[in-house]
Amino acid sequence: MIDLYYWPTPNGHKISIFLEEAGLPYRIIPVNIGKGEQFEASFLKISPNNRMPAIVDDDPAEKGPPISVFESGAILVYLAEKTGKFLPKDLRGRHEVLQWLFWQMGGLGPMSGQNNHFANYAVEKIPYAIERYVKETNRLYGVMDQRLADREYLAGPYSIADMASYPWTVPYERYGQNIDDFPNMKRWWLRMRDRPAVKRSYEEIGPKYRGVPANHPDAAKILFGQTAASVKAAQR
Ligand SMILES: N[C@@H](CCC(=O)N[C@@H](CS)C(=O)NCC(=O)O)C(=O)O
């Protein structure tokens, strides 16, 4: 059984999509990040970066004690290796997927996240910061659109690269983008949206967990302005 430490954000959805696609039994342990549950000492033991998602697998392939994994990209690779699904085993196929997975982890996710912060959450609206991230998101969508011109999925067959990327394109309007400007990406986006596992993730699983929005004063106090002292204080 996999324990999934989860909250219905783009990074959380990546893992519920995988688990639903693979049909692996799992249990959700909600981590309400707007309430600060990511700073609980027991959670920091498995996710020292005070971020969800994280997983604990109590039945790892090599047996022995449970294995915990944090960072959504690492979790997707772990689960793909555990199940033998959504990450090809041959050298070329595997690295095709890993490139696009890392592209998401280092680019699409963080840049969209900053975009969202400056455009939608920052109390002070800074035009330079908003423009920088809206443009970078636009560039990344352009890269995806080119890539998807002659294929159905980002890296060959449907893979963990698609599962990682899709959740960061769902709120494209919040990120100042028009999906109609990216017709190849739009075809992929609709294909992803209509997968039953993706639908379950967004329509059934996510809505069970609701908190205040990130810019609610109680949540903003916890989520924005974290420093090294935030983690240190939590470990006491
Ligand atoms: N690189 C990490 C990022 C995870 C992340 O940023 N999670 C956010 C929600 S999407 C979170 O837990 N935020 C809690 C906080 O900011 O304290 C991953 O991909 O797992």
Side-chain angles (χ1 to χ4, degrees), residues 17-35:
I17 291 173
F18 184 101
L19 292 165
E20 289 294 320
E21 291 281 10
L24 261 187
Y26 68 103
R27 177 173 66 154
I28 287 185
I29 299 169
V31 182
N32 186 337
I33 59 174
K35 277 194 174 165

Side-chain angles (χ1 to χ4, degrees), residues 40-209:
E40 281 178 12
S42 57
F43 180 65
L44 288 173
K45 284 204 177 81
I46 59 170
S47 187
N49 193 38
N50 67 270
R51 298 280 188 274
M52 69 86 226
I55 59 163
V56 176
D57 179 4
D58 69 4
D59 183 25
E62 294 173 359
K63 301 300 169 198
I67 290 184
S68 67
V69 187
F70 72 101
E71 277 295 323
S72 59
I75 297 169
L76 288 170
V77 171
Y78 179 87
L79 292 173
E81 287 177 345
K82 179 180 176 72
T83 57
K85 291 180 175 165
F86 309 117
L87 177 61
K89 291 190 183 60
D90 65 288
L91 183 72
R92 286 166 208 275
R94 180 178 166 83
H95 286 277
E96 199 72 6
V97 169
L98 291 178
Q99 285 177 72
W100 285 93
L101 177 67
F102 278 65
W103 173 83
Q104 189 289 317
M105 294 302 302
L108 184 65
M111 297 305 130
S112 306
Q114 295 304 319
N115 177 337
N116 194 30
H117 183 81
F118 286 109
N120 301 309
Y121 294 145
V123 179
E124 187 191 347
K125 293 289 175 241
I126 307 163
Y128 179 85
I130 296 172
E131 190 185 326
R132 173 173 164 79
Y133 290 110
V134 167
K135 279 187 168 166
E136 179 60 359
T137 308
N138 190 266
R139 186 189 71 80
L140 291 161
Y141 281 22
V143 170
M144 233 191 304
D145 194 57
Q146 292 284 323
R147 175 71 180 171
L148 291 162
D150 59 355
R151 66 196 80 221
E152 291 197 339
Y153 292 105
L154 284 168
Y158 178 54
S159 75
I160 53 175
D162 302 288
M163 296 178 201
S165 299
Y166 175 73
W168 282 103
T169 63
V170 170
Y172 60 84
E173 284 171 326
R174 283 176 71 75
Y175 305 158
Q177 309 301 321
N178 177 1
I179 200 155
D180 291 325
D181 294 342
F182 306 99
N184 305 317
M185 177 186 165
K186 186 176 179 182
R187 281 197 302 278
W188 166 86
W189 192 92
L190 294 172
R191 199 174 292 129
M192 291 294 297
R193 185 197 64 183
D194 292 342
R195 293 185 69 91
V198 174
K199 271 192 184 317
R200 283 198 297 282
S201 198
Y202 277 86
E203 292 170 17
E204 291 170 34
I205 300 160
K208 286 187 197 154
Y209 306 93

